[in-house]
Amino acid sequence: MKKPLLLLVFFYGLQATWAQTDSSAFLFAKRHKFRYIIEIKNDSGFVYKLEQHSFHVVLDVLIAEDTVILQPKSEDDLYIGKKFQFGKDSKNRVHLVDKSRPQKSIKIKVDSISNQNANYMVNEGYWYSRFSQLNDTLHLKNPWITIGPVDAFSYWQAFTKSETASINVGGPHKSFQVFAMNKLKQIRDSIEAKEAKNVNSMQSILDSATILSADKLKDKFRELSGYEEKNYFDAAAHALSKQHPQNFFELVEAAPDLKKKLYQSLYYDKQIVTTLKSVETTSPIKDDFLKKQKKVKLVHTIVVSAVSIGTISFYVLLGWGIYALAT
């Protein structure tokens, strides 16, 4: 019985503060994978809904926001918006109602949260939601651009506490919005410049493969050998092998440090393997590539078979496959 009373006192204590100042006060609620931050300023405010996503890291992504208004002469101090409402129930406990699930009439208990933590959570959710939009925009322009939740988290971690927690939300997060949009523009410009360079490098390989020496070709492929350039590297290797298969073996001989990447980009393309197999050459790279390709194919067959016949057999056959690939 004490906790509802404390919540109620907290709620009315906040109301007294709102009447005297223009500063915001915050409440917090959670249910399952959703988090709710309520920001109240005098007789109106905002409700922010965040959804928890688990990738390699756990992110709270802002998925909805709503303006709420204090209803005049409401005995239960009811705040109502299009998507949310909150106020007291019959037992004088403060609850939030999420109207996206009206059929269940879910009431979520509301607790207190500090301004700094509230700002941090909403700003974090805003960052991840806008970063996802940036990814969609870039991917639409160039399907090979790959940024995602882990990248968003890395950038977020690089920000200082003053940038992520101390910037007031201000409904809806006006000051942090300016900060975030400037950062996202910098990221977008940097990625687009880098992708343009990658496209140019790949295109120069496709256009000049017949006239470039193995050393020059090697340098072009090294420009695309990073993790983020893998799609371009694979595309260039595929095109080179289809159009000029003889050049592929010469390239591997000239760039042994790229051999593994070049092999891996072609292993599962049956048409390319057949094309390379038909090349007449005395280069030992041909036999080496075909030998490695057969081992990869064997391991793939073993794993698929092991999964279908049980756990123990899976580990036995998988170990055999890994040994075969290693040798």
Side-chain angles (χ1 to χ4, degrees), residues 12-208:
Y12 281 116
L14 283 178
Q15 276 199 312
T17 302
W18 305 333
Q20 297 171 8
T21 72
D22 288 332
S23 62
S24 296
F26 294 91
L27 302 171
F28 172 70
K30 63 180 179 179
R31 183 173 181 86
H32 303 311
K33 62 179 180 178
F34 298 110
R35 306 287 186 271
Y36 302 86
I37 301 294
I38 304 169
E39 180 186 10
I40 298 180
K41 195 171 184 178
N42 298 324
D43 59 354
S44 66
F46 300 87
V47 179
Y48 308 97
K49 182 179 180 180
L50 302 99
E51 183 175 9
Q52 194 170 73
H53 293 265
S54 296
F55 302 98
H56 296 293
V57 292
V58 178
L59 314 178
D60 282 321
V61 180
L62 182 66
I63 60 172
E65 51 191 311
D66 190 21
T67 301
V68 292
I69 304 295
L70 176 64
Q71 301 304 293
K73 301 179 181 179
S74 58
E75 295 182 0
D76 52 0
D77 300 299
L78 185 62
Y79 286 77
I80 296 180
K82 293 180 179 180
K83 302 174 184 177
F84 307 99
Q85 70 180 52
F86 71 94
K88 303 195 307 293
D89 64 11
S90 59
K91 296 182 180 180
N92 281 337
R93 293 174 297 192
V94 180
H95 285 278
L96 171 74
V97 175
D98 186 341
K99 295 182 181 181
S100 67
R101 304 181 70 183
Q103 69 278 11
K104 293 189 177 181
S105 300
I106 295 175
K107 290 186 176 181
I108 308 162
K109 186 179 69 173
V110 171
D111 290 303
S112 63
I113 186 172
S114 70
N115 288 27
Q116 187 179 51
N117 287 341
N119 284 324
Y120 184 90
M121 288 182 66
V122 176
N123 291 341
E124 181 184 31
Y126 179 84
W127 171 257
Y128 290 136
S129 66
R130 294 305 183 270
F131 196 94
S132 178
Q133 291 177 7
L134 173 63
N135 176 57
D136 293 343
T137 300
L138 291 172
H139 190 71
L140 189 62
K141 293 176 64 176
N142 184 343
W144 287 345
I145 294 180
T146 53
I147 60 173
V150 175
D151 300 294
F153 179 76
S154 296
Y155 282 111
W156 176 259
Q157 290 291 94
F159 299 152
T160 67
K161 283 290 183 180
S162 63
E163 292 169 330
T164 56
S166 300
I167 297 178
N168 291 331
V169 176
H173 24 261
K174 289 181 180 179
S175 54
F176 184 77
Q177 185 177 34
V178 174
F179 167 82
M181 296 310 289
N182 286 335
K183 290 289 185 181
L184 290 168
K185 184 180 184 303
Q186 294 172 14
I187 294 169
R188 183 195 67 202
D189 292 345
S190 174
I191 290 174
E192 288 182 337
K194 187 173 185 180
E195 294 305 312
K197 181 176 179 293
N198 292 336
V199 170
N200 289 336
S201 295
M202 182 185 68
Q203 197 60 48
S204 67
I205 291 174
L206 305 186
D207 294 341
S208 310

Side-chain angles (χ1 to χ4, degrees), residues 207-277:
D207 294 341
S208 310
T210 56
I211 60 175
L212 288 175
S213 66
D215 283 338
K216 293 289 185 181
L217 208 55
K218 170 186 65 180
D219 293 338
K220 292 293 183 181
F221 269 95
R222 279 180 176 156
E223 292 176 4
L224 300 174
S225 61
Y227 173 78
E228 294 180 354
E229 292 78 30
K230 183 180 185 305
N231 291 327
Y232 298 95
F233 185 96
D234 290 350
H238 275 239
L240 176 67
S241 302
K242 285 181 180 179
Q243 298 170 24
H244 315 288
Q246 180 69 39
N247 294 56
F248 174 77
F249 297 123
E250 294 176 1
L251 170 64
V252 176
E253 285 191 47
D257 57 307
L258 296 179
K259 182 174 77 170
K260 185 176 181 180
K261 288 180 180 291
L262 289 165
Y263 281 9
Q264 289 176 339
S265 66
L266 307 180
Y267 277 147
Y268 297 103
D269 191 316
K270 293 181 180 180
Q271 182 182 354
I272 287 181
V273 172
T274 300
T275 299
L276 292 175
K277 191 174 182 179

